[in-house]
Amino acid sequence: MIEIKNLKKSFGETCACDIPSLKIEKGEIIGLVGNNGAGKTTLFRLLLDLLKADEGSVELKGIRVDESEDWKHFTSAFIDNGFLIDFLTPEEYLSFVNKISGVKDDNINAIAERFEHFTGGEVFGRKILIRNLSAGNKQKVGIISTLVTTPEILILDEPFNFLDPTSQNNLKRIIEDYNRETGATVIISSHNLTHTVDISTRILLMEHGEIKQDITSVDENAIKELNDYFTVE
């Protein structure tokens, strides 16, 4: 589903990504963890061809992201609020996303109802521009926009940011349900180790642009292993 070969990216003397080889299979939920500056967002931007690699390649379903745009038909991502068009209302933005994605069923009312539990009645039907929403509600609009196109590959950078505890738990359920119902491959980065372990089938620990650990058995020992790694003695 996703294959990385000899992927390298540096900014000056700083190595942001150095991954010789990585494969992610269909249906996996990958949790990408690491400290600030570990290279997580850089990796996401390389996956989405938002950055040009110094060396190597990224393939999504066998398609090199730097040689074709066909991968965009089955891939969706939310990296930060810069992805949003903030002079639109949430409804207008979702209609725009649907239109450029070729979604035929543009029933925004159905989408609003589908995610009512997640939004808590604070996003849809208020005729408010995205720029005037709270940081948490902007985050919700961005996350919802990635799901309405039913992508086979879903990439979310720090999706739990700005969300209250109830919304965080709702989001975990949404991600798990989406993965189970569609078989989509999901990659999330998060500083919240507990949430990441809760929903992931595999954990990649990134540091200084490198994958330091690949935890393929995510069980009760995984959170201890991660906490031990990040504990300062």
Side-chain angles (χ1 to χ4, degrees), residues 5 25 82 90 100 127 135:
K5 300 176 183 177
E25 303 297 339
I100 64 174
K127 298 182 179 179

Short mmCIF file of all heavy atoms in Angstrom, two decimals, residues 5 25 82 90 100 127 135:
data_model
loop_
_atom_site.label_atom_id
_atom_site.label_comp_id
_atom_site.label_asym_id
_atom_site.label_seq_id
_atom_site.Cartn_x
_atom_site.Cartn_y
_atom_site.Cartn_z
N LYS A 5 11.48 4.06 -0.14
CA LYS A 5 12.79 3.53 -0.48
C LYS A 5 13.83 4.64 -0.40
O LYS A 5 13.70 5.66 -1.09
CB LYS A 5 12.78 2.94 -1.89
CG LYS A 5 11.80 1.80 -2.10
CD LYS A 5 11.79 1.36 -3.56
CE LYS A 5 10.77 0.26 -3.82
NZ LYS A 5 10.69 -0.11 -5.26
N GLU A 25 1.22 -1.81 5.16
CA GLU A 25 0.26 -2.65 4.44
C GLU A 25 -1.16 -2.10 4.52
O GLU A 25 -1.49 -1.30 5.41
CB GLU A 25 0.29 -4.07 5.01
CG GLU A 25 1.64 -4.75 4.98
CD GLU A 25 2.19 -4.96 3.57
OE1 GLU A 25 1.37 -4.96 2.62
OE2 GLU A 25 3.41 -5.10 3.43
N GLY A 82 -3.79 25.25 7.92
CA GLY A 82 -3.46 25.86 6.64
C GLY A 82 -4.12 25.15 5.47
O GLY A 82 -4.19 25.70 4.37
N PRO A 90 -18.14 25.89 7.21
CA PRO A 90 -17.84 24.46 7.15
C PRO A 90 -18.59 23.74 6.04
O PRO A 90 -18.02 22.89 5.35
CB PRO A 90 -18.26 23.95 8.53
CG PRO A 90 -18.07 25.13 9.42
CD PRO A 90 -18.47 26.31 8.59
N ILE A 100 -14.06 18.87 -5.75
CA ILE A 100 -12.76 18.62 -6.36
C ILE A 100 -12.36 17.15 -6.27
O ILE A 100 -11.47 16.69 -7.01
CB ILE A 100 -11.65 19.50 -5.73
CG1 ILE A 100 -11.45 19.16 -4.25
CG2 ILE A 100 -11.96 20.97 -5.92
CD1 ILE A 100 -10.28 19.89 -3.61
N LYS A 127 -23.91 29.06 10.22
CA LYS A 127 -23.58 30.12 9.27
C LYS A 127 -22.40 30.96 9.77
O LYS A 127 -22.41 32.19 9.68
CB LYS A 127 -24.80 31.01 9.01
CG LYS A 127 -25.97 30.26 8.38
CD LYS A 127 -27.13 31.18 8.09
CE LYS A 127 -28.28 30.41 7.44
NZ LYS A 127 -29.45 31.29 7.16
N ALA A 135 -10.23 26.84 17.78
CA ALA A 135 -9.18 25.96 17.25
C ALA A 135 -9.64 24.51 17.21
O ALA A 135 -9.37 23.77 16.25
CB ALA A 135 -7.91 26.09 18.09
#
